[in-house]
Amino acid sequence: MSAPAIAVPHDVTEPAALAVHSPFDGRAIGSVRQSAPGDVAGILQRARTGFAVSRTLSRFARHEILDRAAGLLRERADEAASLIVGEAGKTIRQARKEVRRAVTTLSLSAETARSHAGEVIPFDAFEGSEKRRGWFTREPLGIIVAITPYNDPLNLVAHKLGPAVAAGDAVILKPSPFAPLTAEFLVALLVEAGLPTEVITTVHGDPAVAQALVAAHDVRLISFTGGFATGEAIARSAGLKRLAMELGGNAPVLVFADADIPAAVEACVSGAFWAAGQNCVGAQRILVQREVHERFRDAFVARTRELVAGDPTDERTDVGPMITAEAAERAQRLVDEAVSVGARVLAGHRREGSVYWPTVLDAVPYSCALWQDEAFAPVVALAPFDTEEEAIALANETDYALHAGVFTADLTRALRVSEQIEAGGVMINDSSDYRVDSMPFGGAKHGSMGREGVRFAYEELTQPKVVSIST
């Protein structure tokens, strides 16, 4: 999920600027100041000051700030979309959708700030407490370290910052070094909307800085969206603090013989190749009941071949570049490895620089990396199944379990299968990548910690405080 860290020499007195380039054509987009280990003490002190300020903001003030920020983002949607296209390589149509979702995320956060304050506790419902009254409130945790990836550089940052501002926390934000400018843009909007500048501290660059922040005693929670190996490293360094992590997926989609095949094809093509496949809930393994496998396969391949890959600024482009040429080369190698052990390429498997054409395979051995691991690329594997039990077993055999999709006209089967699939979410008659920003979002297996989705993230970022009054 996450971009590889960019290492810098630790003996540099003045940190160099971190340059940002277009993943499509390599042109310079901008730069940000790169932090060094010597900056950590100052970063933490600023965050402490920020928390002293944020915790005193009324819930109404937090609501107003987030609501104004949502309005500002709506007004500047074109600017935000251009930034996403420039540094992350999303197509312009996809970038506009991400901006709309981020507006929703901020608006949901604004409502959460004033509507999730706590509950009355019925002390008098229990023997011996008849003369007590009380309640619990949800109080801010403190300093949060938020580490975000490049694939949704606006909305995933909004999912970290919006609930944290609603909660009254202070945030140290470390966005991906591949997409820092969109994060800076959102932070600036929040400040323009009235958020005190100390509440969010944005840090770029040196991985040693991130490690020091993760291990810092003052930090109460680390919210990380990224790769499994990085998540493990964070967990080892964190010590006794809360962790909220989303560490990737390998989503299965099950298509039964009674499904609406044209609708399933269209949904799965979008689900597989959105954001050039750099999507943790993207459809990677599509399991199709044997009676309709050939029909689905032929339609899916034909629709995939219609997709336009290339320049993300072109309104006609469906699939933009991957984040780097190295990422595209990795995708190409994964496919080559699968082909070497028997997989067949039905479409795609062509690369030009960072653009990797949407690729469809069948006969992929279940033991190979392309089946077992997250590809995070515009690559999908098709496979037939005969029975419902076989399909569920195949869906559940990997270690990654964010989302799954099920296509069937039989509601009883849909509910039965959804109960047996091990995943954080099962989308019925939708591709695995369907998500709204209010729903709980997270995995169901090893390494899954906590939930995103505004209200659920807010609960991770707060703690209850009980007040009891004896009358």
Side-chain angles (χ1 to χ4, degrees):
M1 278 289 300
S2 60
I6 295 178
V8 295
H10 289 181
D11 59 353
V12 176
T13 304
E14 290 295 327
L18 178 64
V20 183
H21 297 91
S22 162
F24 178 64
D25 57 19
R27 64 188 171 87
I29 302 297
S31 64
V32 292
R33 180 190 180 276
Q34 188 164 249
S35 296
D39 298 325
V40 170
I43 291 167
L44 289 168
Q45 181 54 48
R46 189 173 192 271
R48 284 190 287 269
T49 301
F51 180 52
V53 172
S54 64
R55 69 188 306 175
T56 64
L57 292 172
S58 69
R59 287 181 167 82
F60 176 74
R62 299 173 205 166
H63 164 84
E64 288 292 284
I65 290 165
L66 289 162
D67 192 53
R68 282 194 294 267
L72 289 170
L73 182 56
R74 189 180 295 109
E75 292 171 8
R76 299 178 196 172
D78 288 344
E79 184 181 355
S82 293
L83 270 176
I84 293 168
V85 173
E87 66 177 359
K90 272 192 170 178
T91 68
I92 185 62
R93 288 183 284 124
Q94 293 170 356
R96 291 189 189 114
K97 183 174 181 179
E98 183 179 346
V99 175
R100 293 193 296 271
R101 285 187 60 190
V103 170
T104 298
T105 299
L106 293 176
S107 296
L108 288 167
S109 299
E111 290 306 310
T112 297
R114 66 179 181 182
S115 62
H116 288 78
E119 297 177 19
V120 170
I121 300 173
F123 285 103
D124 64 339
F126 300 93
E127 184 179 2
S129 295
E130 291 87 350
K131 294 185 180 300
R132 288 178 173 82
R133 303 291 184 270
W135 58 86
F136 75 85
T137 57
R138 298 211 67 95
E139 302 296 314
L141 276 184
I143 298 172
I144 310 302
V145 168
I147 304 173
T148 58
Y150 58 77
N151 57 315
D152 282 308
L154 181 67
N155 195 38
L156 287 181
V157 174
H159 269 283
K160 306 295 187 189
L161 299 184
V165 171
D169 293 318
V171 183
I172 299 171
L173 171 66
K174 188 179 185 302
S176 166
F178 292 114
L181 301 176
T182 308
E184 292 271 16
F185 176 84
L186 181 57
V187 172
L189 284 190
L190 285 162
V191 171
E192 185 177 343
L195 186 71
T197 57
E198 307 92 342
V199 172
I200 301 172
T201 302
T202 309
V203 178
H204 303 288
D206 195 330
V209 175
Q211 184 175 6
L213 292 171
V214 161
H217 177 74
D218 286 331
V219 172
R220 294 294 310 281
L221 178 144
I222 298 152
S223 180
F224 171 69
T225 302
F228 197 88
T230 304
E232 283 191 312
I234 287 172
R236 285 194 296 268
S237 298
L240 292 175
K241 51 178 66 76
R242 294 191 190 185
L243 302 175
M245 294 188 178
E246 190 272 277
L247 302 178
N250 181 352
V253 177
L254 282 58
V255 181
F256 287 91
D258 63 349
D260 181 335
I261 298 302
V265 166
E266 195 64 30
C268 288
V269 167
S270 174
F273 303 125
W274 184 270
Q278 297 166 132
N279 178 5
C280 57
V281 289
Q284 183 174 329
R285 297 174 296 139
I286 303 179
L287 313 173
V288 186
Q289 199 154 27
R290 197 173 300 276
E291 296 97 299
V292 293
H293 179 262
E294 184 175 337
R295 178 185 169 199
F296 180 95
R297 180 197 65 200
D298 292 348
F300 188 88
V301 169
R303 183 69 185 93
T304 299
R305 287 174 175 164
E306 293 173 357
L307 298 178
V308 176
D311 184 353
T313 66
D314 191 326
E315 295 281 354
R316 297 167 297 179
T317 300
D318 300 300
V319 180
M322 298 189 69
I323 194 64
T324 62
E326 291 76 16
E329 289 167 2
R330 173 185 172 274
Q332 192 172 34
R333 285 196 305 272
L334 277 174
V335 173
D336 284 338
E337 290 168 6
V339 169
S340 73
V341 291
R344 293 181 298 172
V345 175
L346 304 180
H349 196 30
R350 168 188 167 198
R351 183 180 68 84
E352 290 183 11
S354 56
V355 177
Y356 188 67
W357 264 251
T359 298
V360 184
L361 303 175
D362 73 354
V364 175
Y366 299 151
S367 59
C368 78
L370 191 57
W371 185 269
Q372 291 292 331
D373 300 331
E374 182 180 44
F376 214 58
V379 179
V380 66
L382 305 182
F385 69 86
D386 291 301
T387 67
E388 180 180 306
E389 293 73 19
E390 179 190 2
I392 292 167
L394 287 171
N396 287 341
E397 73 173 0
T398 69
D399 285 336
Y400 305 95
L402 267 174
H403 276 191
V406 176
F407 286 88
T408 179
D410 184 338
L411 179 59
T412 300
R413 171 192 279 152
L415 296 176
R416 182 172 64 242
V417 170
S418 69
E419 289 177 354
Q420 295 179 68
I421 288 179
E422 299 168 351
V426 180
M427 308 301 117
I428 297 172
N429 291 329
D430 264 313
S431 174
S432 57
D433 76 326
Y434 177 75
R435 178 188 177 187
V436 293
D437 296 289
S438 60
M439 68 191 239
F441 180 73
K445 289 187 179 180
H446 183 61
S448 297
M449 299 181 184
R451 286 293 185 268
E452 290 200 340
V454 172
R455 178 169 70 87
F456 304 92
Y458 172 85
E459 291 176 357
E460 301 277 352
L461 294 164
T462 57
Q463 56 193 355
K465 177 188 283 185
V466 174
V467 175
S468 171
I469 303 170
S470 180
T471 59

